[in-house]
Amino acid sequence: YVEGINNQTKVIKRNAFGFGRFDRFRLKVLLHHQYKDVKIRIA
């Protein structure tokens, strides 16, 4: 199970090459894995 999560995250990382902000990449990964407690701080 964990290897599958790691593989999916690596695939997202390869596809997200053009992301300028790390927080957006992080949110994309968390939402893909259906993490419900996503905390967003808007600065």
Side-chain angles (χ1 to χ4, degrees):
Y1 180 76
V2 175
E3 287 183 19
I5 290 174
N6 288 339
N7 187 28
Q8 288 176 346
T9 304
K10 288 179 183 179
V11 169
I12 293 171
K13 184 175 144 183
R14 271 181 266 152
N15 290 334
F17 178 73
F19 279 22
R21 294 175 49 180
F22 177 76
D23 58 340
R24 291 195 181 163
F25 168 71
R26 180 178 175 269
L27 286 174
K28 188 167 182 74
V29 171
L30 292 176
L31 289 173
H32 178 74
H33 296 303
Q34 297 171 356
Y35 182 75
K36 299 299 181 188
D37 190 27
V38 176
K39 294 181 176 85
I40 301 174
R41 290 188 297 164
I42 300 174

